[in-house]
Amino acid sequence: MKAASDVGEAGQGTLIEGGRHNRILAFDPGTGVMSCEAGVTLHDILLRAIPHRFFLPVTAASGFATVGGAVASDIHGGNQHARGSFGNHVRRLTLLRSTGERLVCSPDENAGLFAATIGGLGLTGLILDAELRLMKVPSPHVQRHAIRFDSLDRYFALAESAGDEHEYAFAWIDQLATGRRAGRGVLWAADHADGACEYPDIPKRLKLALPFSPSGLFNSATLKALNEYRFRTQSPGETVSTEKWTSWFHPFDALSGWNGLYGRRGICRHGSVYPAADAPETTARLLEATRRAGHACVLTRLQRFGDVASRGLLSFPRPGFSLTLDLADQGEPTVKLLDALDGIVVAAGGAVNSSSDLRMSPKVFEASFPEWRKLEALRDPAIVSDFWRRTALALGA
């Protein structure tokens, strides 16, 4: 199965393994400030912080992501509208340049290099450690509100109030639904539960493997049935329940090999963000283009992004709405579809997420990240990825 992105690949160079540098260096349970090496995983941070009722203000969909990776991609979570992206909560970091120089970077010290490193795809040097400020929570678990909606118009009518009233808010869309059912789905909003929600023993990172290799289980027929089941099992109106933090934030971490369900070629992800003014029309065009191309999405996630400005030069989050499409790779037809989706997003004044990209054109890259030349000026000359070669360097400095 090929890689899902070449952002971290260097076919003409040497890859640096940073996972062994995984120590938590200091944690103040009074303030929530933590210093750790870049190889520490988000899961490990939570194991240390939760007993003191602290939580990551931003976490990825997998706890296996490292702090270095979270900084380099400037990840966002389901609460982007409230907390911004990961870089907003980095107080400082230490960067090792190829010259051997170690630089402390923060908003006040080496600020330009700090902004280039946040969301900088690992191109400014090797991140050695970072200091983060965690957020205080009454419980790591969440009280979840699930609201079923029958159309995209209904989602957009709900989205703003859901974000204003709750810490987390995003929606699943039935990408295969057509006609009057097109755009139906479920909006999930959540907040951390109150202190009465007991703290169970923090689970160890248990990994379960699929007992067989169900390659290609996800196809249009099976996903149509699965989407119908997802929608119908959610009661009309609004339901409220309490969910454990592990299943809410990192739902797939306990199942090894789940991506094999997409088929031998693996998964392709198209992530985009576009202005709110024309978001209903842009979203509908993206969904229709995917259906018309004969692709069925296993995950279709729609989320409102807020006005919290990201710190990074190449950070993906910006105000508007973000649509993520996960689909099985069918080869050339999938490449054509992804190019078509890029065109819709750029025409709408939006951006395509580079963190999971394997074929974005230089033109789309420049339209999505117009400040890329500032990063190129600060890039460590000894560090370049396959992604940067085929996008930024193809444009010329």
Side-chain angles (χ1 to χ4, degrees), residues 9-11 13 122-123 379-389 393:
E9 293 191 341
L123 296 169
R379 178 175 64 86
D380 190 307
I383 300 178
V384 63
S385 64
D386 290 347
F387 170 85
W388 200 250
R389 283 193 178 94
L393 298 188

Side-chain angles (χ1 to χ4, degrees), residues 60-232:
S62 171
F64 293 102
T66 65
V67 168
V71 171
S73 297
D74 197 19
I75 62 170
H76 64 274
N79 60 346
Q80 191 282 336
H81 62 277
R83 308 284 173 177
S85 50
F86 195 86
N88 290 93
H89 308 279
V90 178
R91 291 161 55 94
R92 64 155 190 83
L93 55 85
T94 305
L95 197 65
L96 176 63
R97 302 277 282 184
S98 61
T99 58
E101 187 178 16
R102 294 180 182 228
L103 298 173
V104 174
C105 303
S106 73
D108 302 315
E109 188 175 2
N110 294 309
L113 200 53
F114 182 75
T117 302
I118 302 295
L121 307 177
L123 296 169
T124 59
L126 182 63
I127 301 172
L128 297 179
D129 55 59
E131 183 178 277
L132 315 173
R133 182 179 291 280
L134 309 184
M135 68 175 181
K136 192 75 172 178
V137 295
S139 169
H141 313 300
V142 300
Q143 185 178 62
R144 186 190 71 174
H145 301 252
I147 307 170
R148 198 175 88 173
F149 54 87
D150 296 320
S151 67
L152 273 181
D153 287 343
R154 181 58 180 155
Y155 163 75
F156 283 103
L158 294 167
E160 186 168 356
S161 61
D164 291 342
E165 296 170 8
H166 299 284
E167 175 77 22
Y168 306 95
F170 58 90
W172 162 76
I173 304 293
D174 182 356
Q175 172 259 337
L176 292 174
T178 58
R180 290 184 301 174
R181 302 186 303 166
R184 68 178 184 175
V186 180
L187 171 64
W188 283 294
D191 302 282
H192 285 274
D194 61 35
C197 185
E198 293 185 1
Y199 282 70
D201 291 334
I202 298 174
K204 295 181 180 179
R205 207 165 1 169
L206 176 65
K207 291 289 284 184
L208 301 175
L210 292 171
F212 57 96
S213 181
S215 180
L217 181 62
F218 290 150
N219 54 54
S220 294
T222 58
L223 284 174
K224 187 174 183 179
L226 178 60
N227 287 355
E228 187 70 27
Y229 174 80
R230 283 175 175 170
F231 185 77
R232 294 298 173 189

